Amino acid sequence: MGKIPCPLPFQSKQKSINSDQFHPIYSDLSSSSSLSLSRSSSSLYSQPSLPSVPSLTPLSTHSELLSNTFCASTFTGLSSSVFCLSLAGKHLYTGTSNGEILLRNKDPLNQEKNHSIVVAQKQSKSSVKSIVIFGDKLFTAHQDHKIRVWKIDNHDDDIEASNQNYYRCIATLPTLNDRCMRLFSAKNYVEVRRHKKCTWVHHVDTVSALAISSDNSLLYSASWDRTFKIWRISDFKCLESVWNAHDDAINAIALSKNGYVYTGSADMKIKIWKKEQGEKSIHTLIATLEKHKSSVNALALSTDDSVLYSGACDRSIIVWEKDSGGDKMVVSGALRGHTKAILCLCVVDDLVVSGSADKTVRIWKKGIGKSYSCLAVLEGHNGPVKCLTASLDNSNSNSNSNSNDFGCGNSYVVYSGSLDCDIKVWKIWVP
């Protein structure tokens, strides 16, 4: 995998990739989800925006901060589209459409260690949809309906040291023990389609998203089979399955520190769940948020969990804030600027980062009152931006942004993965 510096603005000399050609990646849905297919595939296409939701972004040009933002590097050489990214320590993990899981040093300026190793090379040949890391365990969600658990024998800062200690797949969820325990009781079976049943511990369609609870004890998985499941991390046992949580594929899941679960679906709804306290201890529906007019593709919570951001095919990012009583989520407004579907969101400090089928990344920051400003529009990808992750930049002293020239502020690093098979690393300076 090579590295190509690309200062902003990026003017690609390559032939632009038409986002329509990426439509087949959504054709892996089972026959039981034909409606889900039509809505999920629409996430790469522009849908009508939301005239009923007020805009939180003023009609003005972008801030002067755009000049303090640049593309530090482009990681090239991948053989397939980038579907998910995850940061852990000094490492950046990448999941691709052909089933590869790649590891590289997240610092693009570290030339000695700036190469990738293959954690898993097409073990299942199934697209990697989501990656989360906890301690010495790596969890990956796949298109083949499974969740795989990898043991990290050495999480050393040195990429070569990590390569020498092979990442071992230690479990596939549901585990064999979980499956055997459910086989002999009729109450453990659910109807997944006409004349076909399976045990409730199985996902029966693509596992689209993963999240780990704030106490690091539970793994949540969301699927295009319209369910989300809860797994105990200590022994990988499936504790609960919320069946028919939505009317269509679930594309995103987000967890708050106080136990609320947010799910976003192709049925255009966001649902809020809370675990009941008591003997049953199951998740129950608390509220349904309905403002989007097309498939909800991405969710992200603010650092204090008081604001929920949702991105959809309607080109808008809706901002949901807790009401004065602190009990309900209400619409504050929408962030507009992308010209096609919102595919991914992430939050770092008080910044919101969005990626879109319009091939751009936007950086948003909350201003006075409820207003937001778009600090930068990052251009350079030749395909839809499918995934994002971001962190504070701890290498200011080595950064090319010359942040000291702009006074006090914070520097951030944003990683964007695209269907053009590239990962771009952006340096963001915010006074």
Side-chain angles (χ1 to χ4, degrees), residues 45-71:
Y45 300 93
S46 176
Q47 299 291 325
S49 192
L50 303 173
S52 63
V53 180
S55 179
L56 299 178
T57 49
L59 297 175
S60 61
T61 57
H62 303 304
S63 166
E64 69 275 4
L65 295 177
L66 183 63
S67 62
N68 305 338
T69 301
F70 66 99
C71 180

mmCIF file of all heavy atoms in Angstrom, residues 45-71:
data_model
loop_
_atom_site.group_PDB
_atom_site.id
_atom_site.type_symbol
_atom_site.label_atom_id
_atom_site.label_comp_id
_atom_site.label_asym_id
_atom_site.label_seq_id
_atom_site.Cartn_x
_atom_site.Cartn_y
_atom_site.Cartn_z
ATOM 1 N N TYR A 45 -27.739 7.454 -3.489
ATOM 2 C CA TYR A 45 -28.426 8.331 -4.411
ATOM 3 C C TYR A 45 -29.096 9.487 -3.672
ATOM 4 O O TYR A 45 -29.495 9.359 -2.536
ATOM 5 C CB TYR A 45 -29.468 7.546 -5.216
ATOM 6 C CG TYR A 45 -28.837 6.428 -6.010
ATOM 7 C CD1 TYR A 45 -28.756 5.143 -5.480
ATOM 8 C CD2 TYR A 45 -28.294 6.668 -7.256
ATOM 9 C CE1 TYR A 45 -28.159 4.123 -6.188
ATOM 10 C CE2 TYR A 45 -27.693 5.653 -7.976
ATOM 11 C CZ TYR A 45 -27.625 4.379 -7.444
ATOM 12 O OH TYR A 45 -27.028 3.380 -8.138
ATOM 13 N N SER A 46 -29.238 10.580 -4.361
ATOM 14 C CA SER A 46 -29.831 11.762 -3.751
ATOM 15 C C SER A 46 -31.337 11.618 -3.664
ATOM 16 O O SER A 46 -31.995 11.203 -4.595
ATOM 17 C CB SER A 46 -29.468 12.987 -4.589
ATOM 18 O OG SER A 46 -30.095 14.136 -4.104
ATOM 19 N N GLN A 47 -31.879 11.969 -2.500
ATOM 20 C CA GLN A 47 -33.315 11.955 -2.272
ATOM 21 C C GLN A 47 -33.749 13.379 -1.923
ATOM 22 O O GLN A 47 -32.930 14.231 -1.592
ATOM 23 C CB GLN A 47 -33.656 11.000 -1.125
ATOM 24 C CG GLN A 47 -33.263 9.555 -1.393
ATOM 25 C CD GLN A 47 -34.101 8.921 -2.475
ATOM 26 O OE1 GLN A 47 -35.288 9.214 -2.595
ATOM 27 N NE2 GLN A 47 -33.481 8.082 -3.291
ATOM 28 N N PRO A 48 -35.038 13.673 -1.981
ATOM 29 C CA PRO A 48 -35.490 15.017 -1.610
ATOM 30 C C PRO A 48 -35.053 15.383 -0.202
ATOM 31 O O PRO A 48 -35.020 14.542 0.686
ATOM 32 C CB PRO A 48 -37.019 14.898 -1.702
ATOM 33 C CG PRO A 48 -37.256 13.768 -2.643
ATOM 34 C CD PRO A 48 -36.135 12.806 -2.416
ATOM 35 N N SER A 49 -34.696 16.644 0.012
ATOM 36 C CA SER A 49 -34.279 17.104 1.334
ATOM 37 C C SER A 49 -35.504 17.328 2.213
ATOM 38 O O SER A 49 -36.617 16.979 1.844
ATOM 39 C CB SER A 49 -33.449 18.381 1.199
ATOM 40 O OG SER A 49 -32.818 18.665 2.424
ATOM 41 N N LEU A 50 -35.297 17.947 3.390
ATOM 42 C CA LEU A 50 -36.364 18.056 4.387
ATOM 43 C C LEU A 50 -36.794 19.518 4.553
ATOM 44 O O LEU A 50 -36.269 20.229 5.409
ATOM 45 C CB LEU A 50 -35.879 17.507 5.731
ATOM 46 C CG LEU A 50 -35.388 16.057 5.733
ATOM 47 C CD1 LEU A 50 -34.777 15.722 7.072
ATOM 48 C CD2 LEU A 50 -36.528 15.118 5.409
ATOM 49 N N PRO A 51 -37.766 19.967 3.772
ATOM 50 C CA PRO A 51 -38.191 21.374 3.879
ATOM 51 C C PRO A 51 -38.836 21.712 5.213
ATOM 52 O O PRO A 51 -38.863 22.870 5.619
ATOM 53 C CB PRO A 51 -39.197 21.527 2.727
ATOM 54 C CG PRO A 51 -39.681 20.136 2.453
ATOM 55 C CD PRO A 51 -38.520 19.237 2.738
ATOM 56 N N SER A 52 -39.364 20.709 5.928
ATOM 57 C CA SER A 52 -40.049 20.968 7.184
ATOM 58 C C SER A 52 -39.099 21.161 8.360
ATOM 59 O O SER A 52 -39.516 21.609 9.434
ATOM 60 C CB SER A 52 -41.019 19.824 7.505
ATOM 61 O OG SER A 52 -40.308 18.607 7.683
ATOM 62 N N VAL A 53 -37.814 20.830 8.183
ATOM 63 C CA VAL A 53 -36.844 20.950 9.267
ATOM 64 C C VAL A 53 -35.979 22.197 9.036
ATOM 65 O O VAL A 53 -35.361 22.321 7.984
ATOM 66 C CB VAL A 53 -35.945 19.696 9.341
ATOM 67 C CG1 VAL A 53 -34.941 19.835 10.485
ATOM 68 C CG2 VAL A 53 -36.796 18.449 9.533
ATOM 69 N N PRO A 54 -35.943 23.126 9.987
ATOM 70 C CA PRO A 54 -35.156 24.358 9.791
ATOM 71 C C PRO A 54 -33.665 24.063 9.687
ATOM 72 O O PRO A 54 -33.154 23.141 10.311
ATOM 73 C CB PRO A 54 -35.471 25.178 11.054
ATOM 74 C CG PRO A 54 -35.884 24.164 12.071
ATOM 75 C CD PRO A 54 -36.584 23.077 11.310
ATOM 76 N N SER A 55 -32.980 24.871 8.894
ATOM 77 C CA SER A 55 -31.540 24.700 8.719
ATOM 78 C C SER A 55 -30.787 25.400 9.840
ATOM 79 O O SER A 55 -31.144 26.500 10.267
ATOM 80 C CB SER A 55 -31.102 25.268 7.362
ATOM 81 O OG SER A 55 -29.713 25.131 7.193
ATOM 82 N N LEU A 56 -29.749 24.749 10.363
ATOM 83 C CA LEU A 56 -28.921 25.322 11.422
ATOM 84 C C LEU A 56 -27.657 25.962 10.885
ATOM 85 O O LEU A 56 -26.855 26.497 11.639
ATOM 86 C CB LEU A 56 -28.535 24.233 12.428
ATOM 87 C CG LEU A 56 -29.685 23.549 13.162
ATOM 88 C CD1 LEU A 56 -29.148 22.463 14.084
ATOM 89 C CD2 LEU A 56 -30.491 24.559 13.968
ATOM 90 N N THR A 57 -27.470 25.895 9.564
ATOM 91 C CA THR A 57 -26.265 26.461 8.952
ATOM 92 C C THR A 57 -26.631 27.710 8.175
ATOM 93 O O THR A 57 -27.486 27.675 7.300
ATOM 94 C CB THR A 57 -25.616 25.448 8.009
ATOM 95 O OG1 THR A 57 -26.622 24.909 7.132
ATOM 96 C CG2 THR A 57 -24.992 24.300 8.791
ATOM 97 N N PRO A 58 -25.981 28.847 8.461
ATOM 98 C CA PRO A 58 -26.272 30.087 7.748
ATOM 99 C C PRO A 58 -25.844 29.986 6.296
ATOM 100 O O PRO A 58 -24.927 29.236 5.944
ATOM 101 C CB PRO A 58 -25.454 31.138 8.501
ATOM 102 C CG PRO A 58 -24.337 30.362 9.127
ATOM 103 C CD PRO A 58 -24.918 29.007 9.458
ATOM 104 N N LEU A 59 -26.517 30.744 5.436
ATOM 105 C CA LEU A 59 -26.174 30.780 4.017
ATOM 106 C C LEU A 59 -24.992 31.709 3.810
ATOM 107 O O LEU A 59 -25.128 32.860 3.440
ATOM 108 C CB LEU A 59 -27.382 31.244 3.191
ATOM 109 C CG LEU A 59 -28.609 30.334 3.240
ATOM 110 C CD1 LEU A 59 -29.771 30.976 2.492
ATOM 111 C CD2 LEU A 59 -28.283 28.972 2.652
ATOM 112 N N SER A 60 -23.818 31.209 4.085
ATOM 113 C CA SER A 60 -22.604 32.013 3.940
ATOM 114 C C SER A 60 -21.485 31.133 3.436
ATOM 115 O O SER A 60 -21.584 29.914 3.397
ATOM 116 C CB SER A 60 -22.205 32.625 5.294
ATOM 117 O OG SER A 60 -21.946 31.602 6.234
ATOM 118 N N THR A 61 -20.386 31.756 3.056
ATOM 119 C CA THR A 61 -19.238 31.006 2.562
ATOM 120 C C THR A 61 -18.545 30.315 3.719
ATOM 121 O O THR A 61 -18.749 30.625 4.883
ATOM 122 C CB THR A 61 -18.251 31.953 1.864
ATOM 123 O OG1 THR A 61 -17.873 32.968 2.788
ATOM 124 C CG2 THR A 61 -18.875 32.604 0.646
ATOM 125 N N HIS A 62 -17.685 29.374 3.391
ATOM 126 C CA HIS A 62 -16.991 28.623 4.415
ATOM 127 C C HIS A 62 -15.997 29.508 5.149
ATOM 128 O O HIS A 62 -15.466 30.461 4.626
ATOM 129 C CB HIS A 62 -16.264 27.443 3.785
ATOM 130 C CG HIS A 62 -17.186 26.546 3.026
ATOM 131 N ND1 HIS A 62 -18.283 25.970 3.599
ATOM 132 C CD2 HIS A 62 -17.175 26.161 1.735
ATOM 133 C CE1 HIS A 62 -18.913 25.246 2.697
ATOM 134 N NE2 HIS A 62 -18.254 25.347 1.562
ATOM 135 N N SER A 63 -15.716 29.165 6.370
ATOM 136 C CA SER A 63 -14.839 29.926 7.246
ATOM 137 C C SER A 63 -13.417 29.965 6.726
ATOM 138 O O SER A 63 -12.998 29.150 5.921
ATOM 139 C CB SER A 63 -14.861 29.301 8.636
ATOM 140 O OG SER A 63 -13.818 29.785 9.425
ATOM 141 N N GLU A 64 -12.638 30.929 7.220
ATOM 142 C CA GLU A 64 -11.232 31.003 6.864
ATOM 143 C C GLU A 64 -10.445 29.805 7.372
ATOM 144 O O GLU A 64 -9.305 29.585 6.983
ATOM 145 C CB GLU A 64 -10.607 32.286 7.436
ATOM 146 C CG GLU A 64 -10.479 32.333 8.952
ATOM 147 C CD GLU A 64 -11.746 32.828 9.625
ATOM 148 O OE1 GLU A 64 -12.726 33.056 8.909
ATOM 149 O OE2 GLU A 64 -11.729 32.990 10.855
ATOM 150 N N LEU A 65 -11.057 28.993 8.239
ATOM 151 C CA LEU A 65 -10.373 27.804 8.739
ATOM 152 C C LEU A 65 -10.069 26.820 7.622
ATOM 153 O O LEU A 65 -9.235 25.938 7.777
ATOM 154 C CB LEU A 65 -11.227 27.117 9.805
ATOM 155 C CG LEU A 65 -11.462 27.900 11.092
ATOM 156 C CD1 LEU A 65 -12.377 27.117 12.008
ATOM 157 C CD2 LEU A 65 -10.153 28.191 11.788
ATOM 158 N N LEU A 66 -10.761 26.960 6.468
ATOM 159 C CA LEU A 66 -10.506 26.076 5.353
ATOM 160 C C LEU A 66 -9.041 26.097 4.950
ATOM 161 O O LEU A 66 -8.474 25.094 4.558
ATOM 162 C CB LEU A 66 -11.390 26.470 4.168
ATOM 163 C CG LEU A 66 -11.320 25.606 2.911
ATOM 164 C CD1 LEU A 66 -11.790 24.206 3.206
ATOM 165 C CD2 LEU A 66 -12.137 26.219 1.795
ATOM 166 N N SER A 67 -8.382 27.253 5.074
ATOM 167 C CA SER A 67 -6.981 27.373 4.673
ATOM 168 C C SER A 67 -6.048 26.648 5.635
ATOM 169 O O SER A 67 -4.891 26.393 5.307
ATOM 170 C CB SER A 67 -6.586 28.860 4.598
ATOM 171 O OG SER A 67 -6.708 29.457 5.883
ATOM 172 N N ASN A 68 -6.524 26.302 6.815
ATOM 173 C CA ASN A 68 -5.697 25.607 7.799
ATOM 174 C C ASN A 68 -5.990 24.110 7.826
ATOM 175 O O ASN A 68 -5.676 23.428 8.786
ATOM 176 C CB ASN A 68 -5.949 26.182 9.198
ATOM 177 C CG ASN A 68 -5.731 27.682 9.246
ATOM 178 O OD1 ASN A 68 -5.036 28.233 8.415
ATOM 179 N ND2 ASN A 68 -6.343 28.332 10.225
ATOM 180 N N THR A 69 -6.623 23.629 6.775
ATOM 181 C CA THR A 69 -7.003 22.229 6.664
ATOM 182 C C THR A 69 -6.390 21.649 5.397
ATOM 183 O O THR A 69 -6.445 22.274 4.347
ATOM 184 C CB THR A 69 -8.536 22.103 6.610
ATOM 185 O OG1 THR A 69 -9.095 22.666 7.795
ATOM 186 C CG2 THR A 69 -8.964 20.663 6.492
ATOM 187 N N PHE A 70 -5.788 20.469 5.512
ATOM 188 C CA PHE A 70 -5.168 19.898 4.319
ATOM 189 C C PHE A 70 -5.157 18.381 4.404
ATOM 190 O O PHE A 70 -5.314 17.784 5.474
ATOM 191 C CB PHE A 70 -3.743 20.437 4.136
ATOM 192 C CG PHE A 70 -2.784 19.999 5.217
ATOM 193 C CD1 PHE A 70 -1.929 18.934 5.010
ATOM 194 C CD2 PHE A 70 -2.738 20.665 6.444
ATOM 195 C CE1 PHE A 70 -1.052 18.532 5.999
ATOM 196 C CE2 PHE A 70 -1.863 20.274 7.436
ATOM 197 C CZ PHE A 70 -1.007 19.202 7.215
ATOM 198 N N CYS A 71 -4.964 17.758 3.261
ATOM 199 C CA CYS A 71 -4.829 16.306 3.187
ATOM 200 C C CYS A 71 -3.373 15.953 3.409
ATOM 201 O O CYS A 71 -2.502 16.298 2.610
ATOM 202 C CB CYS A 71 -5.305 15.799 1.822
ATOM 203 S SG CYS A 71 -5.179 14.010 1.647
#
